Amino acid sequence: MKRVFAYSPASPGLRALLGYARSRNVPRAALVALVVALAATVYAGQQVPLPQLRQLTDYSVPLAAVVPVVHAVVLATTTFSPMADLEHTAAQPMHRHRAVQMAAVLVYATLLAVLPMAAGASAEVTVAAVRNVAGYLGLAMIGARLFGSGLAWLPPLAVFGPTLLAGVRWDNTPEPWAWSIHGPHSVPAAVTATVLCAVGLVLAATTTPRRAERDEQG
């Protein structure tokens, strides 16, 4: 007896989600972030020296704990919507698609932060990297909401720059506000990153594109 296997196309919901991801250049952003993560994995043992602005004797942070800011900036570009007007007036709310996208971005960013472990990065460095990618991703999402997706990079870099330049005190310890260069067991740094991540993801998943951003489409 001959069996016939019928082609079963993807469900409409899955097709819509895939189309939504492509419209926001999620595959391209994911690829760029992966290339950066692979480079960080190759140089997982490297340290990033901080500028000697305060006559420091020696202070550096692992490269794997610094690269997460790049992941956050790159992945935050996926908040841009080329169909902002349609999303704003759509009969079916886009909140579910945005929530799925943000959850996927967070999981993917976490995996990228863990990747340097394959090249020997310690568990402590990995904990700091995961914390930092969550915090900076949250900052990027907050920036997308406040300033539009084109400037989502602004808050992460506005925090990261001063952290590198002035985030260490005269006694060679991190400033309280420089959470991303704190040690992996710092509770205040973990709380700060968690709050930033939660606020950013909620804003990105539940709010519609800014009016100014929609006007740019015209």
Side-chain angles (χ1 to χ4, degrees):
M1 180 178 178
K2 184 178 181 181
R3 293 185 178 182
V4 178
F5 294 92
Y7 170 72
S8 178
S11 66
L14 179 58
R15 290 200 302 271
L17 190 59
L18 292 175
Y20 176 89
R22 287 195 296 268
S23 74
R24 295 187 175 224
N25 291 318
V26 172
R28 183 176 65 183
L31 179 60
V32 172
L34 177 60
V35 170
V36 173
L38 291 174
T41 300
V42 172
Y43 297 99
Q46 299 295 315
Q47 297 280 322
V48 178
L50 272 64
Q52 307 293 307
L53 297 185
R54 298 187 179 182
Q55 302 301 318
L56 305 178
T57 56
D58 182 25
Y59 196 95
S60 60
V61 292
L63 177 64
V66 172
V67 168
V69 71
V70 181
H71 300 330
V73 170
V74 171
L75 294 175
T77 62
T78 64
T79 60
F80 176 76
S81 171
M83 300 178 293
D85 284 322
L86 292 178
E87 289 187 24
H88 185 66
T89 59
Q92 181 180 3
M94 303 296 291
H95 293 169
R96 183 179 67 177
H97 289 78
R98 283 195 289 268
V100 171
Q101 177 199 359
M102 292 303 102
V105 166
L106 177 59
V107 171
Y108 184 68
T110 302
L111 292 175
L112 294 180
V114 172
L115 192 58
M117 284 191 74
S122 67
E124 288 76 14
V125 170
T126 302
V127 169
V130 170
R131 177 198 66 201
N132 290 353
V133 80
Y136 280 117
L137 183 61
L139 275 172
M141 299 305 175
I142 293 172
R145 176 55 185 162
L146 294 179
F147 311 115
S149 59
L151 294 176
W153 53 268
L154 187 58
L157 295 187
V159 171
F160 184 67
T163 296
L164 290 185
L165 295 175
V168 181
R169 296 187 293 190
W170 62 271
D171 59 352
N172 229 28
T173 59
E175 294 280 4
W177 54 265
W179 54 270
S180 63
I181 59 172
H182 281 222
H185 304 298
S186 171
V187 174
V191 171
T192 300
T194 300
V195 171
L196 289 173
C197 184
V199 172
L201 294 179
V202 168
L203 287 176
T206 60
T207 56
T208 57
R210 286 169 46 86
R211 170 64 63 181
E213 185 171 325
R214 297 199 302 273
D215 291 343
E216 290 177 4
Q217 310 304 313

